[in-house]
Amino acid sequence: MKKKLETLIKKVAKGEISPEQALRELEGFPFDDLGFARIDHHRLWRKGFPEIIFGQNKTSDQIIKIAQSILKAGGNLIITRINQEAYQKIKNKIKNLTYNPQARIAYCQQDEPERGKGKIAIISAGTSDIPVAEEAALTCELLGNEVDRIYDVGVAGLHRLISEMEKIRQARVIIVVAGMEGALPSVVAGLVKAPIIAVPTSIGYGASFNGLAALLAMLNSCPGGVAVVNIDNGFGAATVASLINHL
Amino acid sequence: MKKKLETLIKKVAKGEISPEQALRELEGFPFDDLGFARIDHHRLWRKGFPEIIFGQNKTSDQIIKIAQSILKAGGNLIITRINQEAYQKIKNKIKNLTYNPQARIAYCQQDEPERGKGKIAIISAGTSDIPVAEEAALTCELLGNEVDRIYDVGVAGLHRLISEMEKIRQARVIIVVAGMEGALPSVVAGLVKAPIIAVPTSIGYGASFNGLAALLAMLNSCPGGVAVVNIDNGFGAATVASLINHL
Amino acid sequence: MKKKLETLIKKVAKGEISPEQALRELEGFPFDDLGFARIDHHRLWRKGFPEIIFGQNKTSDQIIKIAQSILKAGGNLIITRINQEAYQKIKNKIKNLTYNPQARIAYCQQDEPERGKGKIAIISAGTSDIPVAEEAALTCELLGNEVDRIYDVGVAGLHRLISEMEKIRQARVIIVVAGMEGALPSVVAGLVKAPIIAVPTSIGYGASFNGLAALLAMLNSCPGGVAVVNIDNGFGAATVASLINHL
Amino acid sequence: MKKKLETLIKKVAKGEISPEQALRELEGFPFDDLGFARIDHHRLWRKGFPEIIFGQNKTSDQIIKIAQSILKAGGNLIITRINQEAYQKIKNKIKNLTYNPQARIAYCQQDEPERGKGKIAIISAGTSDIPVAEEAALTCELLGNEVDRIYDVGVAGLHRLISEMEKIRQARVIIVVAGMEGALPSVVAGLVKAPIIAVPTSIGYGASFNGLAALLAMLNSCPGGVAVVNIDNGFGAATVASLINHL
Amino acid sequence: MKKKLETLIKKVAKGEISPEQALRELEGFPFDDLGFARIDHHRLWRKGFPEIIFGQNKTSDQIIKIAQSILKAGGNLIITRINQEAYQKIKNKIKNLTYNPQARIAYCQQDEPERGKGKIAIISAGTSDIPVAEEAALTCELLGNEVDRIYDVGVAGLHRLISEMEKIRQARVIIVVAGMEGALPSVVAGLVKAPIIAVPTSIGYGASFNGLAALLAMLNSCPGGVAVVNIDNGFGAATVASLINHL
Amino acid sequence: MKKKLETLIKKVAKGEISPEQALRELEGFPFDDLGFARIDHHRLWRKGFPEIIFGQNKTSDQIIKIAQSILKAGGNLIITRINQEAYQKIKNKIKNLTYNPQARIAYCQQDEPERGKGKIAIISAGTSDIPVAEEAALTCELLGNEVDRIYDVGVAGLHRLISEMEKIRQARVIIVVAGMEGALPSVVAGLVKAPIIAVPTSIGYGASFNGLAALLAMLNSCPGGVAVVNIDNGFGAATVASLINHL
Amino acid sequence: MKKKLETLIKKVAKGEISPEQALRELEGFPFDDLGFARIDHHRLWRKGFPEIIFGQNKTSDQIIKIAQSILKAGGNLIITRINQEAYQKIKNKIKNLTYNPQARIAYCQQDEPERGKGKIAIISAGTSDIPVAEEAALTCELLGNEVDRIYDVGVAGLHRLISEMEKIRQARVIIVVAGMEGALPSVVAGLVKAPIIAVPTSIGYGASFNGLAALLAMLNSCPGGVAVVNIDNGFGAATVASLINHL
Amino acid sequence: MKKKLETLIKKVAKGEISPEQALRELEGFPFDDLGFARIDHHRLWRKGFPEIIFGQNKTSDQIIKIAQSILKAGGNLIITRINQEAYQKIKNKIKNLTYNPQARIAYCQQDEPERGKGKIAIISAGTSDIPVAEEAALTCELLGNEVDRIYDVGVAGLHRLISEMEKIRQARVIIVVAGMEGALPSVVAGLVKAPIIAVPTSIGYGASFNGLAALLAMLNSCPGGVAVVNIDNGFGAATVASLINHL
């Protein structure tokens, strides 16, 4: 949408279109009021990434209308936390929609996102943490970043982590995803210089209390250089990591 | 006390003392009712370690009377969680009492405890965890075990831990003491065969919630082979480790 | 797998196979990278028990691939937390797989595990705790231990426990499984010398908070000699107990 | 005060005093408004025990004025949770005040309380639980009950409890006071017919969370026949037990 | 079963049956070991009420076998927390089984229970609390008590409660059942002399945290004379109330 | 019902009906005892709004009977927390019942409610918070208030909120509905003079702990002028706002 | 300050002072940046009450400088949560400062606050809740409201509350302050039409968890018409009540 | 120390010193074992910032010895969480030690830290949050970053924040420090492009639960681009922000 606006302004400047035409094009700027939702088309400029639809708790109808508003404004569409069933309901109403079931993300890129400067490494402790790691990885990619996936290298077998250290050290930012005791971000943080965004997952049972154990562990991380996002919030980690990688 | 009883029975058998004399000696067996406390002189036989006085929340007077009952019965005296001030109040009433201020333990050994079979390694994550580690270490020693202290090898600098692995692998049982994110037991457990008793400490602040973070992390430890005791319970870890080391 | 490696090395030594052949056999050592999982074939040597698949939160496909990697490397296969439905999906892809529905474990032993030295007693407080107790019992057996099951001897009827004390005292290690108020480990610990691994279960309702009540009770156990694992973690208790019983 | 009222009414009936005189005597009935407090002189009739002053969080001045109002109305005075320092400040303003420092109760009986029908047994798990047990015991006595104190019989040494079962079985109601894992009420409840009022105490540390562990354990007590009061609430247990013992 | 035993002993005394016959009849006394369960036939004598089956978390098979053991021993059968579906599965295997769907209790009385001395009032705050209130009421009746049900008299409309005070004051023991803010036991306790057993329910939402709000409120009840059982534990309240009513 | 009573009394005064007829009309006043429920017909007078049926946890049968009692007494019927399925079951038994699926409210107005003095603004942070906001909005309308809906103006895009400030400032009372971090009430409270009723919602995941995060945030709101109701309690917020708007 | 601004503007209009002089007077408007604090002199206009200093966690120096900035701008000074010791340190630096030790508020009124329309009733459950009730009462008075104090009318003795209902019904808004079980707001809400602001207090012990029990109870209040502020937040309740009373 | 090592290696290369001399200089590399602590001199290289002493829970003696080891190795000394009293005890043993009482940091820079690329903005919500903000600010400066302090711009008066937006938008990274409801990071995140590190503080009371409310709010932040560190962890935020600013 940024490009669209620049083009518009240049056209007006060159007299190619009248200001009235430009304004009609810009209807719904800086936000579009659908009654139940106000689409923040201005966000990409302010925040460095576009408004993204959090699919959970929204009806298919609401998702479709918000998506159409974003696409009409020329933006890139990213819908997170959308399951197979909801995707089936909306896919016919939105052209060129791609779905990644593991990451539970549907998306449609109309515009090339600005490229990040380095790589973002996404490290997961276990196989069960992969859906959250994939939400982070795909979001990073959709926001213009190159991603390195390094999965199932939890602290139970340190040699698996150590064997990947060279790759990990090449990352400009690191996202570490772990459930259970949430120890992996601390261990990685002791070994690298890159800032680490830690994502606790709800993987575990009993005294994991749906990810609380991992969350608390990560917040108490000793080595420094670690910041934390919400439980299972692969998306949130990706937004922070992408902003950092675009600096 | 076990020895005392054997001796007594042998003396009666040989006619060296009368049964009446023996019974007078055994007054207060199997427990001694002081009104406010019932000293369990039988515990050493049943449990493999003697009744131990938990000093916190007890008045000096209560400690003195329980201690005297234990010593009179021929037992070894161990008082845990006793601070300098309380020690000053009781030391004149109890002969041969030694005090270790870091471990907050006062003790008096009248009897050689049965020796454990191997070494117990006591590993601490940080310098601040040492009081709890010392409570564990000294208790282990008082219960007849050889101890290896390996302190300040937390996950923030893995090379410190790795450089001690050879020593750690020689232990028959391992006690790992850690506060903050409580990640060290998981890392150690991934590297050794010995059973691990993990002790969370209340070291930390904010979302450590006085050791809750470390406790939950340890309970969720991935690698297996780890069991946990209460926050700051160096003593409890030592009793389990000692029982194992005497198998 | 340990045996496999020894045999291999001996064959090379005798010139029966070339080093190249040996290396081809050892492909995937010390771990096998499946992309979504890294199988830690080295674990048996390091830890005394093999890598075990935690079935919950894994897809059937992931389980099958990890299982095949373990079996191909010559290891013993243990899959925990696998329900009937998941078992039905994988049983045709893995030869000789046995399933125990009460313990929710599927397994296939290619190799005789090293025998533990004594017996492990598994004590449960109530009938409803049996699935967790069975997870512990079967895991102990699969790791080479003889097991004594003593079920439904909770503190509501002490005479049921007392009548089994002789059997319980013969165990080298004791696993006590209890939900609700979680009092049984404390009572048993007051009566025996063996180290006790306590397993809180989520059995209960209301203020049991899914096992939190039993967990806290066990962590605060008075008599000493008790260490605790996660809620419903029969498997974890078994790994600790087995390591102890192999000392 | 009940007696006072009966006497008054009889005197009016006999014409010994005028209704006006009676009313002056009854000033402040059914409650006395001191501005900051309204003394509920009617409570003894309604509840079976008089209004009792909870000393904690009240100023010495407030305590003195409420106490004087109660005494003037002819009632029995009981002040709970009052420490030495507060007692020193008020003792000169209130005649015949007795103080029990262990129970932290100050009292002055002007009237013989109605006698309960049987004995109330007060059982404590440990020596450190005695202050709460004494608060319960003394309150029971002040409300007209005979009390049997059985202290330090926690589950770590069951033989201590068993040796007192005969005495315990003679009680009409039982109060069981325990901190740490709070297992004692469950064990006692499995052995007796009397209703049990369980009092968790804040004795413990770490995962006792100031008595939460004991509270939860008692609320989840298996055997039935157990009801629970607030942490450290010896007084509350006594009011329930006394009401039962007066049935 | 108590009667059965008395009859048996009398018959032996009169020579009507031989001791051998009597012993065969008593097989499984004082408990019956079914492998997965040990039926405590001795409980009625010790506790004043028989062993009662907690149906939740038990398989139909387990319930049937325990029930048959109890019935064979001549006892009264009470199965709590058993839903329609489970009841359908067991009803053909157990003769004369009655089911109360609101109370979720199945039962079969072979023996007249000893009668309690007075009435037990069961008070509920709201309509939604009735299932828990009915569990309490029916259990009280099955244990030999006369019950007065007073439902939907919560504090939102005090006049509803006040209009029933006369009936409430006639009860010897009162059970108060309430969810949400759990205020009703405090209000009732301020108005009556009878001991009150308070039952918090999980009725509510949001910050009720499944009954935690009501539980905490009841534990902090001001007026005295209130003791509390677990959330939704109508059964537990009934056991305490019945024991009191049998004093 | 208030009107009905006034009419009745006037008719009696004019001799149009006999007192006996009037009393028959008033049967069930001030409350109607259905056995499982006591309908508080008096509430409108006392509270300013009528008894409202909380549909959750009630059977269709119970709802129908309570509704019929309210309607028969001439009152306005409001049933909250009633889902489509339950509505389908009751709609044929209750004439003129309207259902709003988003607000999950069924209602039937027989009487014009007294009008509030100003407008109530209902502000929601996100699209997913709308069901709770609609519960508040419709309840406000049913209680006689004019409502302004301002949805999806959360703090992520302040310009959306700012653009509506003029409308918001015209409200006499403001209800702010927000999940996740619950920051919106604080921001609005810094900008307006009207009292704010904040409603946390359970929208969110992970460390939102079903609305706990939003609840705590709102309780800690800095600017003053904010009071809070239970999580998802749109109805409760509406009752407070309506009472204020009728002052 | 509002008056000051009006006067200033009128003077400029009349030519009595130059715009430059007016601006000098208005220096620090709409806020005054002290480096460590930005005084929001604009708040009275926006919010209906002035910026108020929360004294806790501020140094005496910071309080003095903020106070001087407020006074210089012509505003009314209110400092809450300021103890005796802090008051002693600041009183010489601020003229005409009055201190109320029970409410822990220091204040200096330079300007008559706008009067509220009716009375605000402040009801406290117990004597110990008075400091919080007084913080509410004095704040209400300083914000221009007439206040009725009704203290110690908790649910343990309902007749004390009932006897004050006439006075309570005359209030336009009601603040109810209660600790322990926090039941009083629900009871009052069932009896009156005025909106209720409930203030939980930290009075209590054990399972009151420093006011959590009362907070949860109030959030779950059944009758409707109740909104809640933070634990011990008498000040916050007063701001809401005052805003309502000024409508 | 990095420079020291480079210099050393160059000197050896040039033959200015012998390898033996170099090695003596490097004694204690990569870590220095003091028995109670192992100083990680290698950390600067691995992590981008040196080992920093967390002063809390350490004895003065321990701090002095660790500090001397760091200084001797040529490193920069930073001691956090050190109060006035502890500083007084150590200042004579460590040359050139500067103390900042507000930030509670003592430090001694022997080496110029590598400069960060842009500015770090430190924003605090209130005056009481300044100690944590200063810990962050001073740490950032000691790690080589230029810092912009913007204090007391909480959401209660948005205009204070808005007036600083230009300065805030110039920052490359932003640290937002807030207690109470913790809303500020969300508001700032909606307005800027820079990554935000949010620091909850323990400022507040009651339902702030020592910073838990702010922590949860920040973890649930809507706008994306926000990561969180532990409560009061100004230091941790600074390490992450500095790493980012050095990218």
Side-chain angles (χ1 to χ4, degrees), chain C residues 92-243:
Chain C
N92 293 326
K93 301 288 172 58
I94 300 164
K95 253 193 281 191
N96 298 322
L97 196 65
T98 308
Y99 184 59
N100 180 323
Q102 202 170 29
R104 290 160 304 161
I105 290 177
Y107 58 95
C108 166
Q109 303 274 84
Q110 305 192 98
D111 214 2
E112 186 63 23
E114 201 183 328
R115 302 301 305 168
K117 294 201 182 137
K119 280 188 189 175
I120 298 175
I122 318 270
I123 304 178
S124 94
T127 299
S128 308
D129 301 316
I130 291 180
V132 176
E134 275 299 310
E135 185 184 88
L138 181 51
T139 304
C140 282
E141 289 170 343
L142 293 171
L143 298 179
N145 304 281
E146 189 174 351
V147 164
D148 246 343
R149 287 159 173 86
I150 299 149
Y151 292 167
D152 198 27
V153 293
V155 297
L158 268 187
H159 54 302
R160 302 181 299 187
L161 176 68
I162 301 305
S163 74
E164 298 282 1
M165 280 317 297
E166 213 175 295
K167 202 194 278 184
I168 292 170
R169 286 222 175 81
Q170 286 164 14
R172 204 160 176 251
V173 195
I174 299 173
I175 292 174
V176 183
V177 180
M180 310 283 288
E181 77 266 66
L184 191 56
S186 290
V187 170
V188 175
L191 298 170
V192 302
K193 200 175 276 199
I196 291 174
I197 310 303
V199 190
T201 73
S202 54
I203 293 303
Y205 59 93
S208 123
F209 296 123
N210 303 312
L212 178 63
L215 171 62
L216 294 183
M218 291 175 184
L219 286 168
N220 284 284
S221 184
C222 268
V226 177
V228 185
V229 296
N230 195 0
I231 297 163
D232 290 337
N233 192 5
F235 166 73
T239 60
V240 185
S242 176
L243 288 182

Side-chain angles (χ1 to χ4, degrees), chain E residues 155-158 162 180-181 183 186-187 190-191 204-205 207-209 212-213 216-223, chain G residues 155-158 162 180-181 183 186-187 190-191 204-205 207-209 212-213 216-223:
Chain E
V155 296
L158 267 189
I162 301 304
M180 311 282 288
E181 76 267 66
S186 290
V187 171
L191 298 169
Y205 59 92
S208 123
F209 295 123
L212 178 62
L216 293 183
M218 291 175 185
L219 286 167
N220 284 283
S221 185
C222 268
Chain G
V155 297
L158 268 188
I162 301 304
M180 312 281 287
E181 76 267 66
S186 289
V187 171
L191 298 170
Y205 59 92
S208 122
F209 295 123
L212 178 63
L216 293 183
M218 292 176 184
L219 286 167
N220 284 283
S221 184
C222 267

Side-chain angles (χ1 to χ4, degrees), chain F residues 155-159 161-162 180-183 186-187 189-191 203-209 212-213 216-223, chain H residues 155-159 161-162 180-183 186-187 189-191 204-209 212-214 216-223:
Chain F
V155 297
L158 268 188
H159 54 303
L161 176 69
I162 301 304
M180 311 283 289
E181 76 269 65
S186 289
V187 171
L191 298 170
I203 293 303
Y205 59 92
S208 122
F209 296 122
L212 179 63
L216 293 184
M218 292 176 184
L219 286 168
N220 284 283
S221 184
C222 267
Chain H
V155 296
L158 268 188
H159 54 301
L161 176 68
I162 301 304
M180 312 281 289
E181 77 267 67
S186 290
V187 171
L191 299 169
Y205 60 93
S208 122
F209 295 123
L212 178 63
L216 293 183
M218 292 174 184
L219 287 167
N220 283 283
S221 185
C222 267

Side-chain angles (χ1 to χ4, degrees), chain D residues 75-91:
Chain D
N76 283 339
L77 178 67
I78 305 179
I79 309 167
T80 64
R81 297 288 171 100
I82 177 164
N83 56 25
Q84 276 284 6
E85 193 186 2
Y87 168 67
Q88 294 303 328
K89 282 187 191 157
I90 68 165
K91 71 173 175 182

